[in-house]
Amino acid sequence: MKEKDKVIYNLKKIVGKINVITSDWGKEPFSKGWRYGDGKALAVVKPGRLIEIWKVLQFCVNNNLIIIMQGANTGLTGGSTPFGNDYDRDIIVINTIRINDIQIINDGKQIIGLAGSTLYDLEKKLDKYNREPHSVIGSTSIGASIVGGICNNSGGSLVHRGPAYTQLALYAKINKLGDLELINELDINLGSCPDEIFENLESKNYDKNDIINSSKLASDDKYSEIVREINSDSPSRFNADERLLYGVSGSAGKVAVFAVRVDTYPKPKKSQVFYIGTNDTDVFWKIRREILSNFKTLPRLGDYMHRDCYNAAKKYSKDSFIVIEKLGTNFLPTLFNIKRIVDLFSKKIKFLPEKFSDIILQYLSYLWPNHLPKRMNNFKNQFEHLWIIEMTDEGIDEAEVYFKSFFDKNDGAYFKCTKSEAKKAQLHRYVSAGAFGRYQALKNKSNEESFSMDIALPRNEKNWFENLPKDINELFEIKLYYGHLFCHVMHQNYIVKKGVDTKALLNKLLMFYESRGAEYPAEHNVGHEYFAKSSLLNFYKKLDPTNSFNPGIGKTSKLKNWK
């Protein structure tokens, strides 16, 4: 039996034949990023129990195999799949999505999420406790995993919560000697050996007395203060921030996570969305500073959209909007799987175009009537810059009094959204993230490449809206801007004109950001799209000294022992 066949045979013995995928067709949904990056894996393994993950890890370590841990594979920078084919060892992708249990502890104030548990399921599970998870829009909608958010320090849209973070986790790492170690930092008494720990956790064989409520954090407890520091010359949140690199938090797949313990949050009693527009960027700069420095109640959400992005999302993200609105977010993973199958199938039939699924969905969207409220569309026609601000409880009256007074003296206007308008406004902003990808898929003969930047501006930056030098600006076919304006985190999507040297252009763009004191990435993690800065690189090497987990992340070495 060949060596690779022996590997496959032994993996099947651990998790069962049906849960080891070796065909190119079957592996593609796991070896190709949701938006970016792909590469070859020897096999995709889908364990169904924690002990199976442990045994697969042991086998991989003993047989000099690269390990890529993967949850829902919804990342935007290719950080949970292989990238290229220049690794020095075979790769095993361990997909954890079958292990999706969520355990409620401390009367709903905290939860334990196992390796593949999702934010969407957590949101549903917390309903009866009148509480909610760290993220309630965005990653939640596409089935992202709880663990993935922690490993990427994902930021989310909510102003007062900051990056996903915990110091409480159960995970495995490989030490300097190349031995696999299990680290129990959950602060729950579960036993001493791996078999006992996994069994007790999965069967919930522990009680209140076994739960240690120490000083360790299960969320970022400083962010609501940090975001208010409007005169600081550093960003409020970014992935290379050493303050939030701890254990699995920010680990980017350099360890194998079995479970995390995280805080939940009380739901607001009431909320109100204000839709704000202006043609003067200084107006939003003033509002941001005054609200963050003077309001007693922080906004819950504050998402910005440029008019061009609004229009692009209205046209090119219409099908995503309708699917979520009519079928619910739980259907999105199914839709993405169907899209992948259609595109795989179209590759095998020469006369079918690339991205065939996008073409089908785009034409189907034309058959559906206008999906956005008339008042929003009219407002967009008046104003170039749009801002969705959600206030809760006591902050609602505080905001209304402020906006009435402010817009008596400044350019722009606002209106209070009905519940229906609020849902549509937030959903429209969310699906805008996919608009440039659809545009690129449909127009790929007339342009070169696209890339999406995730930029954290200094908190005191006045010129928050990008104004590029002419020699850079003229190289783009289209630019779409949206972001979390209170946090000064901007998502900037670019499609490059045909014939432009994309790598050289990207380097110019990054140098421009650095000259402004910006950090990047802000919340999507480095993946294989960004260089890991020294704080991240040192963190990765400390977690994974043999470079066996997710090598190459942050454009680092893919070779064993970081050679």
PDB file of all heavy atoms in Angstrom, residues 34 74 76 137-144 157 303 305 313 317 320-321 324 329 332 336 388 423-435 482:
ATOM      1  N   TRP A  34     -14.082  30.873   0.879  1.00  0.00           N
ATOM      2  CA  TRP A  34     -15.418  31.400   0.571  1.00  0.00           C
ATOM      3  C   TRP A  34     -15.330  32.537  -0.441  1.00  0.00           C
ATOM      4  O   TRP A  34     -16.147  32.664  -1.332  1.00  0.00           O
ATOM      5  CB  TRP A  34     -16.066  31.886   1.879  1.00  0.00           C
ATOM      6  CG  TRP A  34     -17.488  32.279   1.747  1.00  0.00           C
ATOM      7  CD1 TRP A  34     -18.550  31.469   1.459  1.00  0.00           C
ATOM      8  CD2 TRP A  34     -18.037  33.592   1.922  1.00  0.00           C
ATOM      9  NE1 TRP A  34     -19.719  32.191   1.443  1.00  0.00           N
ATOM     10  CE2 TRP A  34     -19.427  33.502   1.727  1.00  0.00           C
ATOM     11  CE3 TRP A  34     -17.484  34.839   2.233  1.00  0.00           C
ATOM     12  CZ2 TRP A  34     -20.276  34.603   1.824  1.00  0.00           C
ATOM     13  CZ3 TRP A  34     -18.330  35.926   2.340  1.00  0.00           C
ATOM     14  CH2 TRP A  34     -19.701  35.804   2.130  1.00  0.00           C
ATOM     15  N   THR A  74     -16.090  30.414   6.186  1.00  0.00           N
ATOM     16  CA  THR A  74     -16.756  31.640   5.720  1.00  0.00           C
ATOM     17  C   THR A  74     -15.825  32.851   5.760  1.00  0.00           C
ATOM     18  O   THR A  74     -16.270  33.980   5.599  1.00  0.00           O
ATOM     19  CB  THR A  74     -17.997  31.947   6.575  1.00  0.00           C
ATOM     20  OG1 THR A  74     -17.600  32.078   7.950  1.00  0.00           O
ATOM     21  CG2 THR A  74     -19.033  30.848   6.450  1.00  0.00           C
ATOM     22  N   LEU A  76     -12.981  35.731   4.863  1.00  0.00           N
ATOM     23  CA  LEU A  76     -12.855  36.558   3.667  1.00  0.00           C
ATOM     24  C   LEU A  76     -11.427  36.650   3.139  1.00  0.00           C
ATOM     25  O   LEU A  76     -11.202  37.194   2.064  1.00  0.00           O
ATOM     26  CB  LEU A  76     -13.370  37.973   3.956  1.00  0.00           C
ATOM     27  CG  LEU A  76     -14.855  38.081   4.324  1.00  0.00           C
ATOM     28  CD1 LEU A  76     -15.211  39.519   4.661  1.00  0.00           C
ATOM     29  CD2 LEU A  76     -15.735  37.565   3.197  1.00  0.00           C
ATOM     30  N   ILE A 137     -25.278  40.344  13.466  1.00  0.00           N
ATOM     31  CA  ILE A 137     -25.473  40.542  12.023  1.00  0.00           C
ATOM     32  C   ILE A 137     -24.111  40.364  11.383  1.00  0.00           C
ATOM     33  O   ILE A 137     -23.076  40.494  12.046  1.00  0.00           O
ATOM     34  CB  ILE A 137     -26.068  41.934  11.705  1.00  0.00           C
ATOM     35  CG1 ILE A 137     -26.535  41.997  10.251  1.00  0.00           C
ATOM     36  CG2 ILE A 137     -25.085  43.046  12.019  1.00  0.00           C
ATOM     37  CD1 ILE A 137     -27.345  43.243   9.932  1.00  0.00           C
ATOM     38  N   GLY A 138     -24.074  40.051  10.122  1.00  0.00           N
ATOM     39  CA  GLY A 138     -22.788  39.854   9.459  1.00  0.00           C
ATOM     40  C   GLY A 138     -22.425  38.389   9.471  1.00  0.00           C
ATOM     41  O   GLY A 138     -23.058  37.577   8.808  1.00  0.00           O
ATOM     42  N   SER A 139     -21.402  38.018  10.242  1.00  0.00           N
ATOM     43  CA  SER A 139     -20.938  36.626  10.266  1.00  0.00           C
ATOM     44  C   SER A 139     -22.033  35.660  10.687  1.00  0.00           C
ATOM     45  O   SER A 139     -22.083  34.517  10.242  1.00  0.00           O
ATOM     46  CB  SER A 139     -19.745  36.492  11.223  1.00  0.00           C
ATOM     47  OG  SER A 139     -18.663  37.249  10.763  1.00  0.00           O
ATOM     48  N   THR A 140     -22.926  36.136  11.577  1.00  0.00           N
ATOM     49  CA  THR A 140     -24.037  35.289  12.016  1.00  0.00           C
ATOM     50  C   THR A 140     -24.849  34.806  10.827  1.00  0.00           C
ATOM     51  O   THR A 140     -25.292  33.657  10.766  1.00  0.00           O
ATOM     52  CB  THR A 140     -24.952  36.084  12.969  1.00  0.00           C
ATOM     53  OG1 THR A 140     -24.142  36.698  13.962  1.00  0.00           O
ATOM     54  CG2 THR A 140     -25.978  35.197  13.622  1.00  0.00           C
ATOM     55  N   SER A 141     -25.028  35.690   9.845  1.00  0.00           N
ATOM     56  CA  SER A 141     -25.920  35.410   8.731  1.00  0.00           C
ATOM     57  C   SER A 141     -25.396  34.347   7.783  1.00  0.00           C
ATOM     58  O   SER A 141     -26.166  33.744   7.046  1.00  0.00           O
ATOM     59  CB  SER A 141     -26.181  36.703   7.945  1.00  0.00           C
ATOM     60  OG  SER A 141     -26.703  37.704   8.790  1.00  0.00           O
ATOM     61  N   ILE A 142     -24.084  34.144   7.752  1.00  0.00           N
ATOM     62  CA  ILE A 142     -23.537  33.170   6.804  1.00  0.00           C
ATOM     63  C   ILE A 142     -23.091  31.885   7.485  1.00  0.00           C
ATOM     64  O   ILE A 142     -22.360  31.090   6.910  1.00  0.00           O
ATOM     65  CB  ILE A 142     -22.388  33.780   5.983  1.00  0.00           C
ATOM     66  CG1 ILE A 142     -21.292  34.344   6.888  1.00  0.00           C
ATOM     67  CG2 ILE A 142     -22.892  34.849   5.041  1.00  0.00           C
ATOM     68  CD1 ILE A 142     -20.064  34.828   6.146  1.00  0.00           C
ATOM     69  N   GLY A 143     -23.528  31.689   8.732  1.00  0.00           N
ATOM     70  CA  GLY A 143     -23.250  30.430   9.409  1.00  0.00           C
ATOM     71  C   GLY A 143     -21.865  30.323   9.991  1.00  0.00           C
ATOM     72  O   GLY A 143     -21.354  29.223  10.203  1.00  0.00           O
ATOM     73  N   ALA A 144     -21.204  31.459  10.266  1.00  0.00           N
ATOM     74  CA  ALA A 144     -19.833  31.438  10.798  1.00  0.00           C
ATOM     75  C   ALA A 144     -19.798  30.778  12.167  1.00  0.00           C
ATOM     76  O   ALA A 144     -20.755  30.829  12.938  1.00  0.00           O
ATOM     77  CB  ALA A 144     -19.290  32.859  10.886  1.00  0.00           C
ATOM     78  N   SER A 157     -20.194  44.337  14.017  1.00  0.00           N
ATOM     79  CA  SER A 157     -20.772  45.661  13.774  1.00  0.00           C
ATOM     80  C   SER A 157     -21.089  46.418  15.050  1.00  0.00           C
ATOM     81  O   SER A 157     -21.322  47.622  14.997  1.00  0.00           O
ATOM     82  CB  SER A 157     -22.073  45.507  12.964  1.00  0.00           C
ATOM     83  OG  SER A 157     -21.838  44.907  11.720  1.00  0.00           O
ATOM     84  N   ASP A 303     -23.301  51.757  11.041  1.00  0.00           N
ATOM     85  CA  ASP A 303     -22.717  51.290   9.784  1.00  0.00           C
ATOM     86  C   ASP A 303     -22.885  52.315   8.667  1.00  0.00           C
ATOM     87  O   ASP A 303     -23.990  52.787   8.372  1.00  0.00           O
ATOM     88  CB  ASP A 303     -23.347  49.965   9.367  1.00  0.00           C
ATOM     89  CG  ASP A 303     -22.654  48.780  10.018  1.00  0.00           C
ATOM     90  OD1 ASP A 303     -21.731  49.014  10.813  1.00  0.00           O
ATOM     91  OD2 ASP A 303     -23.027  47.627   9.731  1.00  0.00           O
ATOM     92  N   MET A 305     -22.451  53.606   4.618  1.00  0.00           N
ATOM     93  CA  MET A 305     -22.462  53.179   3.214  1.00  0.00           C
ATOM     94  C   MET A 305     -22.321  54.403   2.320  1.00  0.00           C
ATOM     95  O   MET A 305     -22.980  55.416   2.535  1.00  0.00           O
ATOM     96  CB  MET A 305     -23.783  52.497   2.837  1.00  0.00           C
ATOM     97  CG  MET A 305     -23.965  51.085   3.264  1.00  0.00           C
ATOM     98  SD  MET A 305     -25.513  50.411   2.612  1.00  0.00           S
ATOM     99  CE  MET A 305     -25.023  49.903   0.982  1.00  0.00           C
ATOM    100  N   ALA A 313     -25.087  47.422  -4.357  1.00  0.00           N
ATOM    101  CA  ALA A 313     -25.749  46.365  -3.578  1.00  0.00           C
ATOM    102  C   ALA A 313     -27.199  46.191  -4.007  1.00  0.00           C
ATOM    103  O   ALA A 313     -27.716  45.071  -4.038  1.00  0.00           O
ATOM    104  CB  ALA A 313     -25.671  46.694  -2.091  1.00  0.00           C
ATOM    105  N   SER A 317     -26.584  42.628  -5.216  1.00  0.00           N
ATOM    106  CA  SER A 317     -26.778  41.788  -4.021  1.00  0.00           C
ATOM    107  C   SER A 317     -28.263  41.543  -3.751  1.00  0.00           C
ATOM    108  O   SER A 317     -28.627  41.087  -2.669  1.00  0.00           O
ATOM    109  CB  SER A 317     -26.139  42.455  -2.799  1.00  0.00           C
ATOM    110  OG  SER A 317     -24.765  42.613  -2.963  1.00  0.00           O
ATOM    111  N   SER A 320     -29.224  37.905  -2.736  1.00  0.00           N
ATOM    112  CA  SER A 320     -28.853  37.560  -1.359  1.00  0.00           C
ATOM    113  C   SER A 320     -29.828  38.184  -0.366  1.00  0.00           C
ATOM    114  O   SER A 320     -30.235  37.542   0.609  1.00  0.00           O
ATOM    115  CB  SER A 320     -27.426  38.044  -1.053  1.00  0.00           C
ATOM    116  OG  SER A 320     -26.496  37.394  -1.868  1.00  0.00           O
ATOM    117  N   PHE A 321     -30.184  39.427  -0.609  1.00  0.00           N
ATOM    118  CA  PHE A 321     -31.147  40.125   0.246  1.00  0.00           C
ATOM    119  C   PHE A 321     -32.465  39.351   0.302  1.00  0.00           C
ATOM    120  O   PHE A 321     -33.016  39.092   1.383  1.00  0.00           O
ATOM    121  CB  PHE A 321     -31.382  41.541  -0.306  1.00  0.00           C
ATOM    122  CG  PHE A 321     -32.316  42.395   0.504  1.00  0.00           C
ATOM    123  CD1 PHE A 321     -31.810  43.399   1.322  1.00  0.00           C
ATOM    124  CD2 PHE A 321     -33.694  42.221   0.458  1.00  0.00           C
ATOM    125  CE1 PHE A 321     -32.663  44.200   2.074  1.00  0.00           C
ATOM    126  CE2 PHE A 321     -34.545  43.005   1.199  1.00  0.00           C
ATOM    127  CZ  PHE A 321     -34.036  43.999   2.018  1.00  0.00           C
ATOM    128  N   ILE A 324     -32.269  35.924   2.194  1.00  0.00           N
ATOM    129  CA  ILE A 324     -32.225  36.077   3.652  1.00  0.00           C
ATOM    130  C   ILE A 324     -33.577  36.533   4.182  1.00  0.00           C
ATOM    131  O   ILE A 324     -34.079  36.022   5.191  1.00  0.00           O
ATOM    132  CB  ILE A 324     -31.121  37.071   4.062  1.00  0.00           C
ATOM    133  CG1 ILE A 324     -29.753  36.507   3.709  1.00  0.00           C
ATOM    134  CG2 ILE A 324     -31.188  37.362   5.561  1.00  0.00           C
ATOM    135  CD1 ILE A 324     -28.609  37.477   3.915  1.00  0.00           C
ATOM    136  N   THR A 329     -31.626  33.350   7.381  1.00  0.00           N
ATOM    137  CA  THR A 329     -30.173  33.211   7.259  1.00  0.00           C
ATOM    138  C   THR A 329     -29.719  31.756   7.279  1.00  0.00           C
ATOM    139  O   THR A 329     -28.648  31.435   6.764  1.00  0.00           O
ATOM    140  CB  THR A 329     -29.476  33.962   8.403  1.00  0.00           C
ATOM    141  OG1 THR A 329     -30.009  33.498   9.650  1.00  0.00           O
ATOM    142  CG2 THR A 329     -29.682  35.453   8.301  1.00  0.00           C
ATOM    143  N   LEU A 332     -28.665  30.310   3.920  1.00  0.00           N
ATOM    144  CA  LEU A 332     -27.499  30.797   3.183  1.00  0.00           C
ATOM    145  C   LEU A 332     -26.414  29.739   2.980  1.00  0.00           C
ATOM    146  O   LEU A 332     -25.893  29.601   1.867  1.00  0.00           O
ATOM    147  CB  LEU A 332     -26.909  32.027   3.869  1.00  0.00           C
ATOM    148  CG  LEU A 332     -27.472  33.385   3.443  1.00  0.00           C
ATOM    149  CD1 LEU A 332     -26.661  34.488   4.081  1.00  0.00           C
ATOM    150  CD2 LEU A 332     -27.474  33.559   1.938  1.00  0.00           C
ATOM    151  N   PHE A 336     -24.935  28.666  -0.685  1.00  0.00           N
ATOM    152  CA  PHE A 336     -23.525  28.702  -1.077  1.00  0.00           C
ATOM    153  C   PHE A 336     -23.053  27.335  -1.559  1.00  0.00           C
ATOM    154  O   PHE A 336     -22.257  27.245  -2.504  1.00  0.00           O
ATOM    155  CB  PHE A 336     -22.664  29.175   0.096  1.00  0.00           C
ATOM    156  CG  PHE A 336     -22.904  30.613   0.469  1.00  0.00           C
ATOM    157  CD1 PHE A 336     -22.932  30.998   1.798  1.00  0.00           C
ATOM    158  CD2 PHE A 336     -23.125  31.573  -0.501  1.00  0.00           C
ATOM    159  CE1 PHE A 336     -23.160  32.314   2.147  1.00  0.00           C
ATOM    160  CE2 PHE A 336     -23.358  32.898  -0.154  1.00  0.00           C
ATOM    161  CZ  PHE A 336     -23.372  33.275   1.166  1.00  0.00           C
ATOM    162  N   ILE A 388     -26.285  54.327   9.076  1.00  0.00           N
ATOM    163  CA  ILE A 388     -27.339  53.646   9.844  1.00  0.00           C
ATOM    164  C   ILE A 388     -26.891  53.622  11.300  1.00  0.00           C
ATOM    165  O   ILE A 388     -25.912  52.955  11.638  1.00  0.00           O
ATOM    166  CB  ILE A 388     -27.542  52.207   9.338  1.00  0.00           C
ATOM    167  CG1 ILE A 388     -27.842  52.185   7.841  1.00  0.00           C
ATOM    168  CG2 ILE A 388     -28.656  51.509  10.116  1.00  0.00           C
ATOM    169  CD1 ILE A 388     -27.636  50.815   7.206  1.00  0.00           C
ATOM    170  N   LYS A 423     -34.930  46.764   9.515  1.00  0.00           N
ATOM    171  CA  LYS A 423     -34.441  45.444   9.104  1.00  0.00           C
ATOM    172  C   LYS A 423     -33.868  45.479   7.691  1.00  0.00           C
ATOM    173  O   LYS A 423     -32.808  44.913   7.414  1.00  0.00           O
ATOM    174  CB  LYS A 423     -35.579  44.417   9.178  1.00  0.00           C
ATOM    175  CG  LYS A 423     -35.940  44.008  10.595  1.00  0.00           C
ATOM    176  CD  LYS A 423     -37.059  42.968  10.586  1.00  0.00           C
ATOM    177  CE  LYS A 423     -37.432  42.551  12.008  1.00  0.00           C
ATOM    178  NZ  LYS A 423     -38.547  41.565  12.001  1.00  0.00           N
ATOM    179  N   LYS A 424     -34.576  46.174   6.804  1.00  0.00           N
ATOM    180  CA  LYS A 424     -34.131  46.244   5.419  1.00  0.00           C
ATOM    181  C   LYS A 424     -32.850  47.060   5.280  1.00  0.00           C
ATOM    182  O   LYS A 424     -31.958  46.721   4.492  1.00  0.00           O
ATOM    183  CB  LYS A 424     -35.242  46.826   4.533  1.00  0.00           C
ATOM    184  CG  LYS A 424     -36.418  45.872   4.308  1.00  0.00           C
ATOM    185  CD  LYS A 424     -37.527  46.540   3.505  1.00  0.00           C
ATOM    186  CE  LYS A 424     -38.729  45.610   3.316  1.00  0.00           C
ATOM    187  NZ  LYS A 424     -38.473  44.539   2.343  1.00  0.00           N
ATOM    188  N   ALA A 425     -32.743  48.137   6.047  1.00  0.00           N
ATOM    189  CA  ALA A 425     -31.538  48.977   5.990  1.00  0.00           C
ATOM    190  C   ALA A 425     -30.318  48.186   6.440  1.00  0.00           C
ATOM    191  O   ALA A 425     -29.260  48.224   5.785  1.00  0.00           O
ATOM    192  CB  ALA A 425     -31.729  50.216   6.866  1.00  0.00           C
ATOM    193  N   GLN A 426     -30.453  47.455   7.542  1.00  0.00           N
ATOM    194  CA  GLN A 426     -29.323  46.692   8.064  1.00  0.00           C
ATOM    195  C   GLN A 426     -28.983  45.516   7.149  1.00  0.00           C
ATOM    196  O   GLN A 426     -27.801  45.205   6.934  1.00  0.00           O
ATOM    197  CB  GLN A 426     -29.631  46.225   9.479  1.00  0.00           C
ATOM    198  CG  GLN A 426     -29.693  47.367  10.475  1.00  0.00           C
ATOM    199  CD  GLN A 426     -30.086  46.918  11.875  1.00  0.00           C
ATOM    200  OE1 GLN A 426     -30.438  45.771  12.095  1.00  0.00           O
ATOM    201  NE2 GLN A 426     -30.040  47.839  12.825  1.00  0.00           N
ATOM    202  N   LEU A 427     -29.998  44.874   6.608  1.00  0.00           N
ATOM    203  CA  LEU A 427     -29.753  43.746   5.715  1.00  0.00           C
ATOM    204  C   LEU A 427     -29.099  44.217   4.417  1.00  0.00           C
ATOM    205  O   LEU A 427     -28.184  43.577   3.896  1.00  0.00           O
ATOM    206  CB  LEU A 427     -31.065  43.014   5.418  1.00  0.00           C
ATOM    207  CG  LEU A 427     -30.986  41.794   4.503  1.00  0.00           C
ATOM    208  CD1 LEU A 427     -29.945  40.800   4.999  1.00  0.00           C
ATOM    209  CD2 LEU A 427     -32.354  41.128   4.397  1.00  0.00           C
ATOM    210  N   HIS A 428     -29.561  45.363   3.909  1.00  0.00           N
ATOM    211  CA  HIS A 428     -28.973  45.915   2.688  1.00  0.00           C
ATOM    212  C   HIS A 428     -27.495  46.237   2.891  1.00  0.00           C
ATOM    213  O   HIS A 428     -26.659  45.964   2.023  1.00  0.00           O
ATOM    214  CB  HIS A 428     -29.740  47.181   2.279  1.00  0.00           C
ATOM    215  CG  HIS A 428     -29.258  47.785   0.993  1.00  0.00           C
ATOM    216  ND1 HIS A 428     -29.236  47.104  -0.199  1.00  0.00           N
ATOM    217  CD2 HIS A 428     -28.761  49.030   0.710  1.00  0.00           C
ATOM    218  CE1 HIS A 428     -28.768  47.881  -1.149  1.00  0.00           C
ATOM    219  NE2 HIS A 428     -28.457  49.055  -0.625  1.00  0.00           N
ATOM    220  N   ARG A 429     -27.161  46.806   4.032  1.00  0.00           N
ATOM    221  CA  ARG A 429     -25.749  47.097   4.324  1.00  0.00           C
ATOM    222  C   ARG A 429     -24.948  45.801   4.417  1.00  0.00           C
ATOM    223  O   ARG A 429     -23.841  45.698   3.893  1.00  0.00           O
ATOM    224  CB  ARG A 429     -25.640  47.866   5.646  1.00  0.00           C
ATOM    225  CG  ARG A 429     -24.475  48.834   5.778  1.00  0.00           C
ATOM    226  CD  ARG A 429     -23.110  48.269   5.526  1.00  0.00           C
ATOM    227  NE  ARG A 429     -22.585  47.494   6.645  1.00  0.00           N
ATOM    228  CZ  ARG A 429     -21.750  46.483   6.517  1.00  0.00           C
ATOM    229  NH1 ARG A 429     -21.358  46.073   5.318  1.00  0.00           N
ATOM    230  NH2 ARG A 429     -21.290  45.843   7.561  1.00  0.00           N
ATOM    231  N   TYR A 430     -25.527  44.804   5.046  1.00  0.00           N
ATOM    232  CA  TYR A 430     -24.806  43.540   5.194  1.00  0.00           C
ATOM    233  C   TYR A 430     -24.518  42.896   3.839  1.00  0.00           C
ATOM    234  O   TYR A 430     -23.385  42.508   3.553  1.00  0.00           O
ATOM    235  CB  TYR A 430     -25.583  42.580   6.090  1.00  0.00           C
ATOM    236  CG  TYR A 430     -25.039  41.182   5.983  1.00  0.00           C
ATOM    237  CD1 TYR A 430     -23.744  40.895   6.398  1.00  0.00           C
ATOM    238  CD2 TYR A 430     -25.774  40.159   5.395  1.00  0.00           C
ATOM    239  CE1 TYR A 430     -23.202  39.638   6.253  1.00  0.00           C
ATOM    240  CE2 TYR A 430     -25.238  38.900   5.243  1.00  0.00           C
ATOM    241  CZ  TYR A 430     -23.955  38.645   5.678  1.00  0.00           C
ATOM    242  OH  TYR A 430     -23.419  37.394   5.513  1.00  0.00           O
ATOM    243  N   VAL A 431     -25.523  42.762   2.973  1.00  0.00           N
ATOM    244  CA  VAL A 431     -25.316  42.057   1.703  1.00  0.00           C
ATOM    245  C   VAL A 431     -24.469  42.870   0.728  1.00  0.00           C
ATOM    246  O   VAL A 431     -24.000  42.327  -0.279  1.00  0.00           O
ATOM    247  CB  VAL A 431     -26.654  41.667   1.029  1.00  0.00           C
ATOM    248  CG1 VAL A 431     -27.443  40.730   1.921  1.00  0.00           C
ATOM    249  CG2 VAL A 431     -27.485  42.889   0.649  1.00  0.00           C
ATOM    250  N   SER A 432     -24.239  44.149   1.038  1.00  0.00           N
ATOM    251  CA  SER A 432     -23.402  44.971   0.150  1.00  0.00           C
ATOM    252  C   SER A 432     -21.999  44.398   0.027  1.00  0.00           C
ATOM    253  O   SER A 432     -21.296  44.652  -0.956  1.00  0.00           O
ATOM    254  CB  SER A 432     -23.341  46.416   0.651  1.00  0.00           C
ATOM    255  OG  SER A 432     -22.647  46.500   1.889  1.00  0.00           O
ATOM    256  N   ALA A 433     -21.571  43.611   1.018  1.00  0.00           N
ATOM    257  CA  ALA A 433     -20.226  43.023   0.988  1.00  0.00           C
ATOM    258  C   ALA A 433     -20.032  42.133  -0.239  1.00  0.00           C
ATOM    259  O   ALA A 433     -18.905  41.967  -0.714  1.00  0.00           O
ATOM    260  CB  ALA A 433     -19.979  42.226   2.262  1.00  0.00           C
ATOM    261  N   GLY A 434     -21.101  41.552  -0.749  1.00  0.00           N
ATOM    262  CA  GLY A 434     -20.979  40.648  -1.893  1.00  0.00           C
ATOM    263  C   GLY A 434     -21.148  41.315  -3.244  1.00  0.00           C
ATOM    264  O   GLY A 434     -20.979  40.668  -4.284  1.00  0.00           O
ATOM    265  N   ALA A 435     -21.469  42.618  -3.252  1.00  0.00           N
ATOM    266  CA  ALA A 435     -21.788  43.282  -4.515  1.00  0.00           C
ATOM    267  C   ALA A 435     -20.607  43.337  -5.468  1.00  0.00           C
ATOM    268  O   ALA A 435     -20.745  43.089  -6.666  1.00  0.00           O
ATOM    269  CB  ALA A 435     -22.312  44.694  -4.240  1.00  0.00           C
ATOM    270  N   TYR A 482     -17.859  50.888   2.558  1.00  0.00           N
ATOM    271  CA  TYR A 482     -18.781  50.774   3.688  1.00  0.00           C
ATOM    272  C   TYR A 482     -17.946  50.493   4.923  1.00  0.00           C
ATOM    273  O   TYR A 482     -16.738  50.223   4.828  1.00  0.00           O
ATOM    274  CB  TYR A 482     -19.827  49.665   3.458  1.00  0.00           C
ATOM    275  CG  TYR A 482     -19.253  48.298   3.190  1.00  0.00           C
ATOM    276  CD1 TYR A 482     -19.022  47.402   4.236  1.00  0.00           C
ATOM    277  CD2 TYR A 482     -18.944  47.889   1.896  1.00  0.00           C
ATOM    278  CE1 TYR A 482     -18.500  46.134   3.997  1.00  0.00           C
ATOM    279  CE2 TYR A 482     -18.424  46.630   1.649  1.00  0.00           C
ATOM    280  CZ  TYR A 482     -18.199  45.761   2.695  1.00  0.00           C
ATOM    281  OH  TYR A 482     -17.670  44.515   2.472  1.00  0.00           O
TER     282      TYR A 482
END
